[in-house]
Amino acid sequence: MLLDGEAWRARTRGFQREAWRLETLPTYRVPQEEEEIREFLAGERIDPHAYASEYTEDLKRVRREGKVKGRVHVVTRPLSDYLRYEFMYYLPHVWAGEDIRILDVTGRLNPLESVQDFWMFDRSEVVLMNYGSDGSQISREVYEGDPAPFIEYQRIALTEAVPFEEYVKGIDV
């Protein structure tokens, strides 16, 4: 089953304990971000201490409700322009309550090499995120099988990754 619109929003808001994402791509083509990316590449930056958005407010709600939202992003250096742009937003997201970790596989074996992007809700429902070769989203698809392999992918990712704030210390993003 494919998820779009309200069905997708309901999944991302309706979890009971945990929403977790694995991101594996160096670039995501999101039409709504195109202008912000151009501005970023021209040198504009957000103030992470002053930044607020619908997403950061939702993260605060999730935390108040005792729930957890997190992700691991698999990266290689040098970071793509998109990742440098995305990293600019990760700090305010962390401060709002998201557990963001980075799995840098530069010069080492990627323990999740053949795993595609996915969301997992309450360790019981998996949504596969399908992307084209350019990072454009094709679809979101509810995985109908046993979530056990995805629980293991999460375990590996969390074991191998470092917290975002630790990762960015000492590197120029």
Side-chain angles (χ1 to χ4, degrees):
M1 173 174 75
L2 298 180
L3 291 176
D4 282 319
E6 191 51 45
W8 173 243
R9 282 186 288 283
R11 286 292 196 303
T12 61
R13 292 186 61 85
F15 63 95
Q16 299 302 306
R17 294 173 309 282
E18 179 187 48
W20 189 84
R21 175 169 166 76
L22 179 70
E23 294 179 307
T24 64
L25 302 179
T27 301
Y28 293 89
R29 300 270 182 238
V30 181
Q32 304 91 302
E33 295 176 342
E34 288 177 7
E35 181 62 29
E36 288 179 0
I37 291 171
R38 277 193 294 277
E39 292 168 357
F40 172 81
L41 293 174
E44 292 187 32
R45 301 295 184 266
I46 63 166
D47 176 353
H49 297 283
Y51 180 77
S53 68
E54 186 178 313
Y55 188 72
T56 57
E57 293 308 308
D58 190 56
L59 289 169
K60 292 174 186 176
R61 174 194 61 82
V62 165
R63 187 172 54 186
R64 280 192 309 272
E65 293 174 358
K67 301 175 185 178
V68 176
K69 198 169 199 178
R71 75 177 76 197
V72 168
H73 202 139
V74 180
V75 304
T76 57
R77 285 175 276 121
L79 298 176
S80 68
D81 288 341
Y82 182 85
L83 283 174
R84 291 178 31 256
Y85 158 78
E86 188 172 52
F87 276 21
M88 176 175 67
Y89 289 96
Y90 277 179
L91 194 54
H93 293 175
V94 167
W95 291 343
E98 187 172 4
D99 179 18
I100 301 176
R101 297 169 184 253
I102 304 299
L103 173 52
D104 190 330
V105 295
T106 304
R108 63 172 279 212
L109 181 67
N110 180 350
L112 300 169
E113 180 67 40
S114 61
V115 180
Q116 77 176 87
D117 283 39
F118 68 90
W119 275 93
M120 184 165 51
F121 301 99
D122 298 320
R123 303 186 82 179
S124 62
E125 181 179 37
V126 174
V127 177
L128 302 174
M129 306 298 286
N130 300 308
Y131 293 94
S133 59
D134 69 346
S136 297
Q137 188 174 81
I138 297 168
S139 65
R140 301 176 194 101
E141 177 183 358
V142 175
Y143 177 74
E144 302 292 343
D146 182 356
F150 296 91
I151 293 169
E152 178 63 7
Y153 300 149
Q154 180 189 37
R155 185 196 67 74
I156 292 167
L158 291 172
T159 299
E160 299 279 335
V162 297
F164 176 73
E165 288 183 284
E166 181 181 325
Y167 181 75
V168 296
K169 282 182 185 171
I171 68 167
D172 182 32
V173 293

